[in-house]
Amino acid sequence: ATREAVGRIRVDACDCLAEALLALGDAREAARVAERGIRIDPYREGLHRRLIRAHALAGEIDAFWQGAVVPIPSLAQLPMLPTAWSSV
């Protein structure tokens, strides 16, 4: 549980830092930070939005389109959660 909490804190920090860097006009560094957060938590929608915005502001059109269609892990890679059906 502690490792997961630290991971969430790291992702939150990346999210906040990327937003602050965008506000300061440092789009390339914001993209780098957002990418770091996405590597930790590929499901954090806000980081994907910041990454796309950063690439657009930096004029990195190819990277913008790549970020717009970032592959997320397949269903097979998702952790299995217990459900009401798992005991059937």
Side-chain angles (χ1 to χ4, degrees), residues 62-78:
D62 289 340
F64 166 83
W65 285 113
Q66 241 180 339
V69 290
V70 172
I72 58 172
S74 70
L75 289 176
Q77 295 171 308
L78 293 175

Side-chain angles (χ1 to χ4, degrees), residues 10-56:
R10 289 176 63 204
V11 172
D12 289 343
C14 287
D15 205 358
C16 291
L17 181 55
E19 183 63 29
L21 288 164
L22 283 168
L24 293 171
D26 193 347
R28 284 195 170 88
E29 186 64 15
R32 192 179 70 75
V33 169
E35 287 170 347
R36 184 182 310 153
I38 290 168
R39 280 194 299 275
I40 299 167
D41 182 358
Y43 301 103
R44 181 67 70 95
E45 182 184 348
L47 285 169
H48 286 277
R49 285 194 313 258
R50 283 177 231 324
L51 176 61
I52 292 166
R53 196 167 87 211
H55 286 314

